[in-house]
Amino acid sequence: MNREKLQACHLERLAVIYPRQSTLKQLHDHKESTARQYALQERAREFGWAENKIIVVEDDMGQSGASSDWRPGFRRIAEDAAHGRVGAIFALEVSRLARSSADWHKLLELCALADVAIIDEQAVYNPCDYNDRLLLGLKGTMSEAELYWMRLRLEGGRLSKARRGELSFCSPAGYDWDSASLRFRFTADDAIRKAIMLVFERFRVEGSAYGVARYFGRMKMMLPSRDISTREITWISVRQGSVLRILRNPIYAGAYVFGKKEERMGLVDGKLRRRKIKKLPQEEWKCVIHDRHPAYITWDEYMANQKKIYENRAHHFYGEQRGAAREGRALLQGIILCGKCGRRMQVRYQGKSHRIQYYCMANKFSAGSLCSDVAGDAIDRAVEEKFLAAVIPAQIELAFAVTQETESQLEDIERQWQLKKERLTYEANLAARRYKATDPDNRVVARTLEREWEEKLQELEQAEREHQTVRKKERLVLTECDRDKILAAAKNLRSVWRGKTTTYAERKNLIRALIRDISLTPVDVPRRMTQIKIWWQTGAVTELMVERKSKFTAQATSESAVKIIENLYSTKDDAYIADKLNKKCIARKNDKPWDSQAVRVVRYTHGFNHLRTGRRRAKHQRSDGLYSKHGVAARLGVSPGVVNAWAISGILPTAEGGGTTKARWFKLDEQIISLLEKEKLKRLR
């Protein structure tokens, strides 16, 4: 037993017994090993240690020996040894103390300096002796290697079973593991299956996980989720993260996938931590078996969904990431490319009227200025017209498709509500049977079961009220009149496009379905224009030029609207003109419908005033060379309102007239014309 290696100085200090099991399961199952480790106390007594000098450090029971970071007991022993309070350390074998060479050799160094003996079941070792220290070092190295070999064998067995598709793990909501066939199968609960299918159907429509979550919230529907710890299904409120977990899970595409993540030891704040999970890219997944079990979607649709999710992450320096369609007015958000540098342009809204502006920040940090910026209202209108013109030929087919899709979606929602009420009815009946089966004299149990029964009945009643509320609000049942309205609306796509119920996000998704990207290139010669290139999903390219307006004129009334008002104002009233503009679907500022007041403002701005009987508008130029307000406006290509502003501010001198009763007349010479041209350019910047 090598008693001669123990001296009086060892017996005067503490004898530390260090029992350890790597996991709580081992602590529960391997009771004989645990008993052998605690029996080392008797071995210490045999060597001569007094009872009060023997202590047991059992802080690390159920902890792995791979590192000392999560083992406070091991760190305490090392500290006591360094301070000379420990005479010997007892362990069943070296692997109980450490399975890390770094921790083991550090402990050996401390024991050698403090003259601390290490004792196991077979022998006594003195780290001060080089031969003993060499032997202990070899044992520590073998202990660490043994841990690696055990892990290698276990991981190899798991991977081999996974490559056959037979390794079971926690199945996602919508699936159950079939132990007989060693495959996933659809869950028997119809409500769970329908809810999962509805997630994929709504993602096809909404185009984003947030849109799906918002839809579920509006319909007051829940989503099934499997608790990893209990393996039970619970119904939770829908969040964007829960939708993304379903969309990103390849199991729903019928593929058996294993090894999507890799667990490693990692440093956090300079300390070694137990787990650092790294998600592997798809090409590095360890095992993928296609068509292994029934699928909710095809693999091609799964890959398309992953691409869509990736593109929804807006990153303007990477051309493939467009960002999800949002609720802002800018219809081309996310699909605009800068014609100068090729990067994606961002959008912002300026002023109280929220003017749209597309801008590129490629030179913002290097040159201190924007690469390019363009007023967006005119761009949106031009692309919108091209899009609607491309869609019109397929309106008849679209009408029937819209009707069928609407009916299908409403049937799915109604079915989900019916399944939810069936589940709550079953739970209420089950609670009732439990209450009726209990002994009525056992009031403690009876009161609890009665309360559970009442809670289930209240949940059922609440679900019924919510169902009726949603039915009234969302019109979950289509009547013949509703079908006729949908068909009529689908045949008149422009009215649907301008309708109040069509959101900006829905319009953007429709545009993205046909248009892949749009590039904007500013052109200054011979006029300030913007070159627009539309890349359609089919590969075709359409080019057009749009006048590049300044921020002051970006939301000015379109020329087509001004032309119609000019042709009709002398014979028709403002209400008739507004109705005419709305029927032609000519856009107004902020996409609002035309009304009498809006037409009146445009008339006054452009000088289209209704003349009283017997009065005529003054000529543009008199025989003496003086110009009227409208004459100056026609000569310089501006509106009469701008001429009034110049006259009031003193930029344009009044030669004759003025005030409230007499018309103004102006004299134009080369100097004044040059000055007014400069003022005109200032307004265009």
Side-chain angles (χ1 to χ4, degrees):
M1 296 178 62
N2 300 327
R3 287 178 178 271
E4 63 275 5
K5 293 184 180 181
L6 295 177
Q7 301 175 5
C9 62
H10 294 113
L11 300 177
E12 292 173 355
R13 289 177 282 174
L14 296 175
V16 178
I17 314 299
Y18 183 72
R20 184 183 65 81
Q21 294 285 13
S22 298
T23 63
L24 294 176
K25 187 175 186 302
Q26 290 182 7
L27 182 62
H28 181 270
D29 296 343
H30 302 170
K31 296 182 179 179
E32 185 60 32
S33 174
T34 305
R36 288 173 60 197
Q37 295 185 64
Y38 279 102
L40 292 173
Q41 299 177 71
E42 184 61 31
R43 184 169 171 79
R45 296 188 191 97
E46 292 176 1
F47 279 123
W49 267 278
E51 190 68 33
N52 61 345
K53 293 290 186 178
I54 301 174
I55 63 172
V56 179
V57 178
E58 50 188 358
D59 301 352
D60 299 340
M61 279 296 191
Q63 298 292 336
S64 171
S67 174
S68 62
D69 283 350
W70 49 80
R71 290 194 294 153
F74 181 85
R75 295 198 301 269
R76 196 177 87 188
I77 292 174
E79 182 181 358
D80 289 344
H83 287 82
R85 293 190 288 265
V86 177
I89 301 174
F90 288 77
L92 189 64
E93 55 180 335
V94 170
S95 63
R96 297 302 90 197
L97 283 169
R99 285 194 181 272
S100 167
S101 293
D103 295 337
W104 177 240
H105 286 284
K106 187 183 295 183
L107 180 64
L108 287 183
E109 186 71 25
L110 291 174
C111 291
L113 294 174
D115 192 14
V116 178
I118 296 178
I119 304 173
D120 60 15
E121 270 192 331
Q122 287 78 32
V124 177
Y125 304 94
N126 184 3
C128 298
D129 186 348
Y130 184 79
N131 292 325
D132 285 359
R133 187 170 178 178
L134 177 62
L135 182 58
L136 288 172
L138 290 174
K139 284 191 173 186
T141 302
M142 293 296 294
S143 176
E144 183 180 37
E146 184 184 14
L147 179 64
Y148 169 74
W149 293 330
M150 287 190 297
R151 185 182 294 119
L152 194 64
R153 288 195 296 269
L154 292 173
E155 288 296 329
R158 291 181 65 202
L159 186 58
S160 177
K161 196 171 183 179
R163 284 171 178 163
R164 300 193 305 271
E166 298 175 357
L167 179 66
S168 65
F169 48 84
C170 184
S171 57
Y175 283 105
D176 292 322
W177 179 258
D178 189 351
S179 302
S181 62
L182 299 178
R183 298 170 185 262
F184 289 112
R185 56 176 171 80
F186 284 140
T187 184
D189 193 328
D190 195 30
I192 296 176
R193 294 200 310 273
K194 292 293 184 181
I196 298 298
M197 292 173 64
L198 187 59
V199 170
F200 292 107
E201 290 174 4
R202 291 310 305 178
F203 187 73
R204 299 185 193 111
V205 177
E206 303 290 344
S208 68
Y210 178 74
V212 176
R214 184 175 52 195
Y215 177 83
F216 271 76
R218 189 170 69 247
M219 295 298 175
K220 299 184 182 301
M221 292 190 297
M222 309 285 278
L223 197 63
S225 176
R226 191 178 297 277
D227 192 325
I228 297 179
S229 58
T230 63
R231 304 295 177 95
E232 297 293 332
I233 290 291
T234 57
W235 291 83
I236 61 174
S237 299
V238 183
R239 296 289 184 268
Q240 184 178 3
S242 57
V243 175
L244 283 174
R245 281 193 293 272
I246 293 176
L247 295 174
R248 287 173 173 166
N249 196 334
I251 292 179
Y252 291 108
Y256 179 93
V257 177
F258 177 79
K260 295 190 299 179
K261 300 177 182 179
E262 192 175 67
E263 184 176 331
R264 295 180 179 177
M265 305 292 285
L267 288 174
V268 179
D269 298 331
K271 295 183 179 180
L272 191 65
R273 290 293 179 257
R274 179 174 299 185
R275 299 180 63 188
K276 186 177 182 181
I277 298 177
K278 175 186 176 183
K279 292 184 178 180
L280 300 176
Q282 185 173 335
E283 57 272 12
E284 296 182 15
W285 289 353
K286 296 179 181 178
C287 174
V288 179
I289 305 176
H290 295 285
D291 301 324
R292 175 66 180 173
H293 51 263
Y296 285 89
I297 58 174
T298 64
W299 181 258
D300 291 338
E301 184 177 355
Y302 169 78
M303 296 301 297
N305 289 346
Q306 305 316 299
K307 182 180 179 182
K308 183 69 175 177
I309 293 171
Y310 176 76
E311 291 177 350
N312 285 348
R313 300 169 57 191
H315 198 303
H316 304 287
F317 287 95
Y318 296 97
E320 66 273 12
Q321 292 180 296
R322 304 187 298 180
R326 304 186 184 278
E327 289 296 338
R329 285 199 312 112
L331 294 178
L332 309 181
Q333 164 249 322
I335 61 174
I336 293 287
L337 298 176
C338 177
K340 292 183 177 180
C341 65
R343 290 188 172 92
R344 291 212 176 268
M345 302 182 75
Q346 303 181 45
V347 62
R348 62 186 174 192
Y349 303 95
Q350 295 182 320
K352 294 182 179 180
S353 59
H354 301 289
R355 299 185 304 271
I356 301 172
Q357 185 182 27
Y358 298 112
Y359 66 99
C360 176
M361 294 186 63
N363 298 335
K364 180 66 176 178
F365 302 105
S366 58
S369 60
L370 297 177
C371 177
S372 64
D373 62 318
V374 182
D377 292 274
I379 306 295
D380 281 9
R381 285 196 291 267
V383 175
E384 183 182 56
E385 286 299 322
K386 290 293 182 182
F387 167 77
L388 293 175
V391 174
I392 284 175
Q395 284 185 353
I396 301 300
E397 294 82 357
L398 178 65
F400 292 103
V402 167
T403 305
Q404 294 174 0
E405 180 64 22
T406 303
E407 291 180 341
S408 175
Q409 291 182 13
L410 294 181
E411 288 176 0
D412 289 339
I413 296 171
E414 182 68 18
R415 180 61 177 163
Q416 280 294 109
W417 276 107
Q418 294 297 336
L419 291 172
K420 180 179 180 179
K421 290 193 292 185
E422 288 178 10
R423 176 171 54 84
L424 292 176
T425 302
Y426 167 76
E427 292 177 356
N429 293 336
L430 180 61
R433 290 196 298 271
R434 288 175 178 172
Y435 171 72
K436 294 175 182 179
T438 189
D439 185 357
D441 294 332
N442 190 353
R443 297 306 302 164
V444 176
V445 176
R447 279 195 298 269
T448 302
L449 296 178
E450 183 181 11
R451 184 173 62 253
E452 292 179 357
W453 185 16
E454 291 177 355
E455 290 174 354
K456 295 299 181 182
L457 290 175
Q458 290 174 1
E459 289 180 10
L460 179 59
E461 185 179 354
Q462 178 67 20
E464 184 64 39
R465 287 197 300 267
E466 291 179 353
H467 184 203
Q468 295 302 325
T469 302
V470 173
R471 283 173 65 95
K472 293 178 182 178
K473 183 179 179 181
E474 302 293 340
R475 300 288 296 275
L476 297 184
V477 179
L478 282 182
T479 63
E480 289 298 328
C481 181
D482 293 331
R483 291 188 180 90
D484 294 339
K485 289 181 180 179
I486 292 174
L487 284 171
K491 291 178 181 178
N492 187 2
L493 185 59
R494 288 182 179 271
S495 63
V496 176
W497 183 265
R498 298 288 182 192
K500 295 181 179 180
T501 57
T502 306
T503 65
Y504 284 107
E506 291 170 342
R507 294 173 189 168
K508 294 175 187 179
N509 283 327
L510 288 173
I511 288 178
R512 293 182 179 194
L514 293 186
I515 298 176
R516 186 174 73 249
D517 288 308
I518 298 172
S519 70
L520 303 181
T521 305
V523 177
D524 294 320
V525 178
R527 295 174 56 195
R528 285 171 52 90
M529 305 287 285
T530 300
Q531 182 190 45
I532 304 175
K533 286 187 178 181
I534 303 175
W535 276 274
W536 301 87
Q537 295 288 0
T538 58
V541 179
T542 301
E543 293 189 18
L544 61 151
M545 301 291 288
V546 174
E547 182 181 358
R548 182 152 49 98
K549 298 183 178 182
S550 68
K551 63 181 181 180
F552 300 104
T553 59
Q555 289 186 315
T557 306
S558 63
E559 294 181 2
S560 58
V562 174
K563 190 70 175 177
I564 292 175
I565 294 173
E566 184 180 10
N567 293 336
L568 297 178
Y569 83 96
S570 58
T571 58
K572 303 294 182 181
D573 59 14
D574 294 340
Y576 177 87
I577 298 175
D579 184 60
K580 188 79 171 178
L581 292 170
N582 288 328
K583 287 182 178 179
K584 288 183 173 292
C585 295
I586 296 177
R588 182 191 162 202
K589 182 174 69 173
N590 293 340
D591 293 331
K592 295 179 181 178
W594 287 92
D595 53 23
S596 300
Q597 179 63 25
V599 174
R600 189 178 302 112
V601 170
V602 175
R603 285 197 300 100
Y604 288 163
T605 302
H606 291 79
F608 305 149
N609 300 324
H610 291 300
L611 300 178
R612 297 176 184 174
T613 305
R615 294 188 61 184
R616 294 183 301 170
R617 179 182 294 169
K619 297 180 180 180
H620 284 189
Q621 187 177 14
R622 293 192 322 199
S623 58
D624 58 0
L626 295 181
Y627 285 84
S628 66
K629 174 178 65 176
H630 293 277
V632 176
R635 175 74 182 271
L636 296 173
V638 297
S639 67
V642 174
V643 177
N644 273 336
W646 285 342
I648 293 172
S649 62
I651 297 175
L652 177 60
T654 302
E656 183 181 316
T660 57
T661 58
K662 295 183 179 180
R664 294 177 184 268
W665 293 90
F666 307 95
K667 182 179 180 181
L668 298 181
D669 53 26
E670 294 297 330
Q671 183 179 359
I672 293 178
I673 291 176
S674 176
L675 176 63
L676 296 180
E677 288 287 353
K678 292 180 180 178
E679 291 295 326
K680 176 183 174 182
L681 290 176
K682 288 181 181 180
R683 298 182 66 86
L684 292 175
R685 289 175 185 170

